[in-house]
Amino acid sequence: MTLLTLSASLHGLKPECNSQNVCHPTGFQAGIFYMGLYLIALGTGGIKPCVSPFGADQFDDSDETEKKSKSSFFNWFYLSINIGALVASTVLVWIQTNVGWGWGFGIPAVAMAAAVVSFFSGTRLYRNQRPGGSPVTRICQVVVASFRKARVRVPDDKSFLYEVVEGECVVKGSRKLDHTEQLR
């Protein structure tokens, strides 16, 4: 976001435009602009799939109060995402059109910096779940097991479905999934 803000604000990084509003960037200017876009794409791809699970890890599913709080968290989380998209699609577009591109990119850059500072200031308070092995291995195990057991009758007593008698999962850092009637 900082690179995009700089490419829209600094004279040396901002392309020259003629009277018909056609701009001709130099190779360096275009490179800085595209580097900013690609860094945003890389960062978005790295954080989007991690935010929801990290939020879910902050709640203990064995505690009923925290289970309800987890549901409330996701409601607020997705409401915030949608409000952010609404503001970006309306207010920021108006600012970019009527005030300037520097302000249009600068405001989200400052908001992102504030979010990063806020996130890191709470680091000591977060619950960090240890990874329980490779997710690819677990997915492959599920696919293989589903093919091998496609014709097996499911027992009526759900206690027969667990891998061991104890309530603990064999994979360290993981917990057993509750039995459901879905996806039989």
Side-chain angles (χ1 to χ4, degrees), residues 33 56 86 96 135 153 161:
F33 174 74
L86 178 68
Q96 288 173 340
R153 189 174 100 48
L161 297 175

Side-chain angles (χ1 to χ4, degrees), residues 16 23 36:
E16 296 294 324
C23 301

Side-chain angles (χ1 to χ4, degrees), residues 59-176:
F59 300 94
D60 184 7
D61 283 336
S62 62
D63 183 4
E64 278 304 313
T65 306
E66 287 198 25
K67 212 173 193 178
K68 288 178 184 172
S69 296
K70 184 178 185 178
S71 176
S72 179
F73 162 77
F74 281 109
N75 289 335
W76 285 107
F77 176 72
Y78 285 110
L79 177 69
S80 301
I81 287 174
N82 288 315
I83 288 173
L86 178 68
V87 168
S89 300
T90 55
V91 175
L92 288 177
V93 169
W94 184 89
I95 289 172
Q96 288 173 340
T97 305
N98 297 307
V99 179
W101 285 92
W103 282 98
F105 287 134
I107 292 170
V110 169
M112 183 61 72
V116 168
V117 167
S118 172
F119 175 76
F120 282 118
S121 66
T123 300
R124 290 183 290 130
L125 304 174
Y126 300 139
R127 291 181 182 168
N128 291 312
Q129 303 288 337
R130 293 188 179 259
S134 169
V136 175
T137 304
R138 298 289 303 265
I139 290 169
C140 291
Q141 287 173 335
V142 168
V143 170
V144 168
S146 66
F147 278 112
R148 291 172 115 187
K149 299 178 181 184
R151 297 194 196 319
V152 174
R153 189 174 100 48
V154 178
D156 293 329
D157 184 4
K158 67 179 181 180
S159 66
F160 290 126
L161 297 175
Y162 290 123
E163 56 200 10
V164 290
V165 177
E166 298 89 32
E168 290 296 314
C169 185
V170 172
V171 179
K172 283 194 171 188
S174 226
R175 60 183 181 271
K176 289 189 178 191

